[in-house]
Amino acid sequence: MRGIILTVCLSLICAVSNSQLIIKNNFQKPYKVAVAFYDTGFTFSGWVSKGWLEVPAGEEKEMFYTNPREKYIYYIAIADNDTIGGNKKILVDPEKDFIVKHAILNITKEDNSNLEWFLFREVRRGFTTKMKKKLIITLGD
């Protein structure tokens, strides 16, 4: 019985460790990128935002070593005189690297004056895409 449990646990760990969230920049200028998603973890459930990942022109970088399995992922990309965003209002720290839990609640903003609302773009994934171990968000696709 222990062998079966150990095998299942190791399989799950290996599956998660091979998954990735990649940001690919097809533009001729660098972008700073933040992402957001609804996290349904064991110890926390709620909206999370994370940033800023610097992605040089023409390159791709790993945002997470794990790929959030949610149906919707949101992102915002900022460069000099350019923003790629959408219409989902999410909190970020505009000045430094950050992780914000409860990133869509007004109370989070009230408790953290350094956070600001940014408008994120939605990436929808179908069932088959949701299950893939690797997700690439392409800027300039």
Side-chain angles (χ1 to χ4, degrees):
M1 182 67 168
R2 276 191 216 153
I4 293 172
I5 293 172
L6 183 59
T7 302
V8 170
C9 289
L10 287 174
S11 297
L12 290 173
I13 289 169
C14 289
V16 170
S17 66
N18 291 330
S19 61
Q20 301 171 289
L21 175 60
I22 306 289
I23 307 296
K24 182 177 181 181
N25 182 359
N26 282 345
F27 288 108
Q28 296 300 313
K29 58 185 169 185
Y31 277 84
K32 292 187 323 181
V33 179
V35 297
F37 55 92
Y38 191 86
D39 187 8
T40 54
F42 292 113
T43 59
F44 171 80
S45 288
W47 281 93
V48 174
S49 62
K50 181 180 181 347
W52 295 98
L53 177 67
E54 299 264 351
V55 185
E59 293 187 24
E60 62 181 47
K61 282 196 157 184
E62 184 178 72
M63 184 81 182
F64 294 128
Y65 66 91
T66 58
N67 175 359
R69 300 288 186 189
E70 304 308 316
K71 184 175 181 181
Y72 301 100
I73 292 183
Y74 297 82
Y75 73 93
I76 186 166
I78 298 175
D80 291 335
N81 302 317
D82 189 27
T83 299
I84 302 169
N87 58 10
K88 178 75 172 170
K89 204 166 113 172
I90 299 174
L91 287 168
V92 303
D93 187 327
E95 301 299 322
K96 60 183 180 178
D97 290 347
F98 68 89
I99 295 176
V100 177
K101 291 186 176 182
H102 301 296
I104 65 167
L105 300 179
N106 287 327
I107 187 109
T108 304
K109 169 67 174 143
E110 292 167 9
D111 291 343
N112 300 280
S113 62
N114 58 316
L115 300 181
E116 292 183 21
W117 295 105
F118 279 60
L119 295 174
F120 280 61
R121 178 176 284 190
E122 179 180 278
V123 175
R124 286 187 203 176
R125 301 195 287 179
F127 179 74
T128 55
T129 310
K130 183 177 174 183
M131 302 318 270
K132 286 186 179 177
K133 292 182 179 179
K134 184 175 182 179
L135 173 66
I136 298 175
I137 295 175
T138 304
L139 309 177
D141 189 25

